Amino acid sequence: MLFILWKLYQEIPIKPVKLTALFDLHLPDVNLKKLKSQVEKENPDIILFAGDVLDAFDEKLLREFLQTFADLHQPRLLILGNHDLWQEEPQTQKLYNYYLQFPWQRYGFHLLDKEPFVIGNTAFCGNMGWYDYSLRLAHDFDRPVIACDELLRWETMSNDEIRKLLQTAPKKSLKDLNESDFARKILLVQNYSRWESLHWYDRLYINWGKSDQEMAAYFLHRLEKQLQETRGLEQVVVLHHAPILPRQAAESVLDAYLSAFSGSRRFWDLICQYGVKTIIHGHLHRKAMFTQDNARVYSCFGAPCTIWI
């Protein structure tokens, strides 16, 4: 009798989970009431916010966001993004710890950065992730660039100082940038007769007190711990930064530079190690859904994205 019941249980199909994911809202750039109405029409089983809910940290705006969705009955999952940590005078680790201690459950939210979320046989594991320049795209743009420590004073440099820098600073090719050059998060690139500045503004609004490689390792360790805890369940990995990109080559000089800050390949290696089949991430501000190494990767932007798991 027990054998028959077990066989019947094995033959019952597992009901798929309908998830509505929202990416990179960058509040206050989105109408929250309209967004909530869109989510209610989707009527998903789970709602996921994949980082960068805020354009910069604002506690009042954060609570307004949480209160807007507080009366929905579905579980609401959230991960943090780099913009959620932006501050004029950054004390990033302190702010991240504030998020970890924030009373999310009071509003019906679950912060994946803090711990995984299990529903049925599915475990959602994740955190904001980080970048270590390992995802930078291949390119053949042979543009002269200036990459030096003097650029760290860019916002306070006078016009005379900038002119002198352009005349005297050593030049290299965009193809020859190294990790130190990316770590500055600013460079000048020659576009015909003009020099243009390229910035990754985390350099102004994020300060972990550690290198990007160290921070990528920190978040990688936190993710691996969650995957270990939920081994045996159907695991879904949710990140803000990308673990893999849908293409191999850059489409422009700007794309070639900014791709270095898109995420870390080490997260993909960990995902493959655990055989995860569904990965959801934000950060790229473009729609991309593709299969790689038998895993499905979802990254959307704009309207809510429905994903069946």
Side-chain angles (χ1 to χ4, degrees):
M1 182 67 177
L2 287 175
F3 177 76
I4 295 173
L5 289 174
W6 179 81
K7 285 289 292 179
L8 289 172
Y9 172 78
Q10 291 293 100
E11 293 171 2
I12 296 174
I14 298 174
K15 181 182 178 182
V17 175
K18 181 181 181 181
L19 180 144
T20 291
L22 300 102
F23 302 79
D24 301 86
L25 302 183
H26 289 276
L27 297 173
D29 293 345
V30 174
N31 184 314
L32 282 175
K33 291 183 179 180
K34 181 178 179 181
L35 187 64
K36 180 185 178 184
S37 178
Q38 290 177 296
V39 172
E40 288 176 319
K41 288 180 182 177
E42 290 290 330
N43 191 29
D45 299 307
I46 297 177
I47 304 166
L48 168 67
F49 296 89
D52 281 0
V53 169
L54 305 175
D55 197 53
F57 176 66
D58 182 324
E59 185 170 0
K60 181 180 178 181
L61 190 57
L62 173 64
R63 291 183 185 272
E64 180 184 342
F65 157 74
L66 295 173
Q67 288 167 353
T68 299
F69 292 92
D71 63 345
L72 297 183
H73 68 275
Q74 300 96 332
R76 278 134 282 160
L77 312 184
L78 177 77
I79 57 169
L80 301 172
N82 57 317
H83 275 260
D84 297 313
L85 297 171
W86 275 24
Q87 291 175 301
E88 288 291 339
E89 297 181 4
Q91 300 181 55
T92 310
Q93 188 64 62
K94 182 178 179 180
L95 179 55
Y96 187 70
N97 291 339
Y98 166 83
Y99 277 119
L100 293 179
Q101 297 164 11
F102 188 85
W104 300 99
Q105 294 296 341
R106 184 181 301 171
Y107 301 91
F109 275 76
H110 181 98
L111 182 68
L112 289 179
D113 286 73
K114 187 174 181 179
E115 58 187 359
F117 178 84
V118 177
I119 179 171
N121 193 48
T122 303
F124 291 85
C125 303
N127 58 53
M128 67 188 303
W130 204 251
Y131 45 82
D132 58 7
Y133 328 137
S134 61
L135 284 186
R136 59 183 182 268
L137 294 169
H139 64 87
D140 57 4
F141 302 112
D142 193 17
R143 297 284 186 85
V145 300
I146 295 174
C148 58
D149 288 342
E150 285 82 357
L151 290 174
L152 298 176
R153 301 189 298 109
W154 180 256
E155 279 72 23
T156 60
M157 292 177 71
S158 67
N159 289 335
D160 287 340
E161 288 176 314
I162 292 174
R163 278 192 289 268
K164 182 178 179 181
L165 179 68
L166 294 177
Q167 293 169 358
T168 62
K171 309 331 187 264
K172 64 167 64 176
S173 170
L174 182 69
K175 294 188 292 185
D176 296 329
L177 293 178
N178 56 41
E179 287 193 350
S180 296
D181 298 326
F182 286 111
R184 295 187 192 95
K185 300 182 174 67
I186 179 172
L187 59 79
L188 303 181
V189 59
Q190 190 171 27
N191 185 10
Y192 299 102
S193 62
R194 297 181 57 188
W195 286 90
E196 299 175 350
S197 60
L198 299 182
H199 306 257
W200 185 251
Y201 282 108
D202 279 5
R203 72 184 179 88
L204 297 179
Y205 305 120
I206 295 283
N207 181 10
W208 290 107
K210 296 180 180 179
S211 71
D212 292 321
Q213 290 84 349
E214 288 174 314
M215 293 314 304
Y218 168 77
F219 287 112
L220 187 72
H221 174 73
R222 292 181 68 93
L223 176 60
E224 183 169 16
K225 185 178 178 181
Q226 291 189 8
L227 291 172
Q228 289 173 346
E229 291 174 358
T230 59
R231 192 190 289 269
L233 298 176
E234 187 71 25
Q235 295 171 320
V236 177
V237 165
V238 184
L239 299 165
H240 177 65
H241 294 84
I244 192 172
L245 296 177
R247 63 200 192 289
Q248 300 299 314
E251 299 170 350
S252 66
V253 169
L254 182 63
D255 191 30
Y257 179 63
L258 295 186
S259 65
F261 310 105
S262 56
S264 168
R265 192 175 304 277
R266 285 188 284 175
F267 285 85
W268 186 254
D269 293 339
L270 181 66
I271 284 166
C272 292
Q273 178 184 332
Y274 278 82
V276 178
K277 299 303 181 186
T278 305
I279 300 93
I280 303 168
H281 71 86
H283 193 55
L284 298 186
H285 288 211
R286 64 167 67 197
K287 186 174 183 178
M289 288 173 278
F290 62 97
T291 299
Q292 180 73 29
D293 298 330
N294 297 317
R296 191 71 175 163
V297 182
Y298 298 88
S299 175
C300 301
F301 186 64
C305 176
T306 295
I307 300 170
W308 290 92
I309 298 171

